[in-house]
Amino acid sequence: MSQEVATRLDKQMLIGGEWVDADDRTDVAHPYDGEVVGSVPLASEQQVVDAIDAAEAAFEAASLSAYQRYELLSETARQVETRADDIARILTSEQGKPLSEARGEVDRAVQTLDLSAEQAKRMFGEYVPMDAQKGFARDHCFTQREPLGVVAAITPFNFPLNLMVHKVGPALAAGNAVVGKPATNTPLTSIALFECLDDAADEIDADVPDGLVNVVTGSGSATGDVILEHDAVEAISFTGSTAVGKYIANNSGMKEVTLELGGNDPTIIWDDTDIEEAAAQVVGGACSNAGQVCNSVERVLVPDHIEGEVVDALVDAAESLTVGDPFDDGTDVASMVDDSQFEDVVDIFEATVDAGATVECGGNYGGDLGPRTFEPTVLSGVDPEMPAAAEETFGPLVPVITVSDFEAAIDEANNTNYGLEAGLFTQDIDRAKRAADEIDAGGVNINTVSGFRADHMPYGGFKDSGVGKEGIKYAVEHFSREKLVGFHQG
Ligand code: NAD
């Protein structure tokens, strides 16, 4: 690595207030060159049970006021801020995204923690005017929000810091205890977050019980089944693949479940827009984090008569990106997280070219670029059934699909089992409104790409892309329950 983290990080799990090891450990490798950068324990099933039991006991013992929960999260934000450079380097070491993107993720995580801290003060209920029904004029009713208990937070590899914060922040804001389970290939950044939470608990003037926050590492299926089966887990917040999300949905019984899953997001570039500007945003949206983003631009839909102009602009934008070592200044696109992700993208690319798509730029991978690196690649002549269009591709591919008119663009946007987000570039408000009404996705973004997201926005997919919403206020609602309190005056 050109600039590695100071030392190899051999980390432990946080269970019941203690940092503990396991009998077995697994290495964590730098995706760009495969060098081992650290290791984490492979939790035994009993250790996962211990973490959940500790969280349950801490939840029962905790009596943090809303202000104290605000302080805990706000102090955690300060701890992350203080360690920002260190955490960004850990993130790039294990995940492989360019350091500039890792710094951006750390900055967002600080904001997500601060937004969660503020939301702790806003656990509002509602006063219900009872005189709305005949015969209840002398009655009163209000609702209050209460925490659920133990929340399990299971996260994927692509944003190992901010996606964990999106669960842990709102869960703690609502007054719950937490067990975190980061992805096996990117656990070190999440552990750094739990170190910050642990340190923040010591800093603030409140009695934070051991076990309020716990983190276990290791195999998803082994830890996941314990989480699914343990009665004390009241809510599971999962971000990851649709296959695992469906398994959780089918095996979680009466637990509250939030599922943020895969996507095959379309972005439409219409003929009345600034094509260069749209193309630059689309290429950025398709290639950031080497395309390993759930709401990245997966399919570019354009009317036939501007295909050439759009493809030229996409090629200019793609060729302006620098491919290389994620620790080098100026690198825009680095490697994929592991061999499996890389090989999936190679297979999808080769099958799409074999099916007749044209490589307009890029198309090189591996070799001198690095073992898991793929160039930003614009493909034209892509039919909807070709793999690059039909499947979620976690790589920097930009497949262009032509449509005859706007109705066909909407139909094609909806031609997927996923429904995470969509983008549309147009100056026509009627088209914008029509897309908003007719595209079957959790978010429709006008004059920007599918990947548009601020951390307090409601965010979550339809269809196979998920159930429930993230975004601080919405996640706090998921992680709490509304109780009715009625007063009868007689
Ligand atoms: P993954 O589903 O393989 O793993 C996600 C997490 O689930 C990991 O922590 C893993 O260890 C764990 N896991 C695996 N099997 C499990 C089981 N049986 N029970 C419980 N947990 C289990 O996903 P990934 O490869 O890490 O991430 C990529 C996927 O995540 C893509 O499909 C992407 O679209 C999706 N994603 C979605 C969003 C969103 O907000 N919608 C955001 C980021 C990523």
Side-chain angles (χ1 to χ4, degrees), residues 268-272 301 303 403-413 423-426 428 430-436 438-439 446:
I268 303 169
I269 301 179
W270 209 247
D271 60 3
D272 55 4
L301 309 181
V403 290
S404 52
D405 55 24
F406 198 67
E407 184 165 356
I410 302 269
D411 286 348
E412 196 46 52
L424 165 65
F425 287 87
T426 183
D428 183 325
D430 291 333
R431 277 199 193 98
K433 181 71 169 72
R434 185 167 172 200
E438 296 181 19
I439 294 182
I446 309 302

Side-chain angles (χ1 to χ4, degrees), residues 154-159 163 181-185 218-225 227-228 238-245 247-248 259-263 292-295 341 392 394 418 420 453 459-461 465 470:
I154 307 176
T155 51
F157 73 83
N158 57 349
F159 292 90
L163 291 181
K181 206 314 260 166
T184 318
N185 41 8
S219 139
S221 49
T223 53
D225 279 348
I227 290 169
L228 285 166
F238 171 82
T239 300
S241 60
T242 295
V244 175
Y247 177 82
I248 290 174
L259 301 172
E260 300 292 347
L261 309 178
Q292 301 165 114
V293 181
C294 53
N295 55 359
Q341 290 292 336
E392 178 182 40
F394 248 39
Y418 293 109
L420 190 52
R453 182 180 187 188
Y459 175 81
S465 290
E470 287 199 335

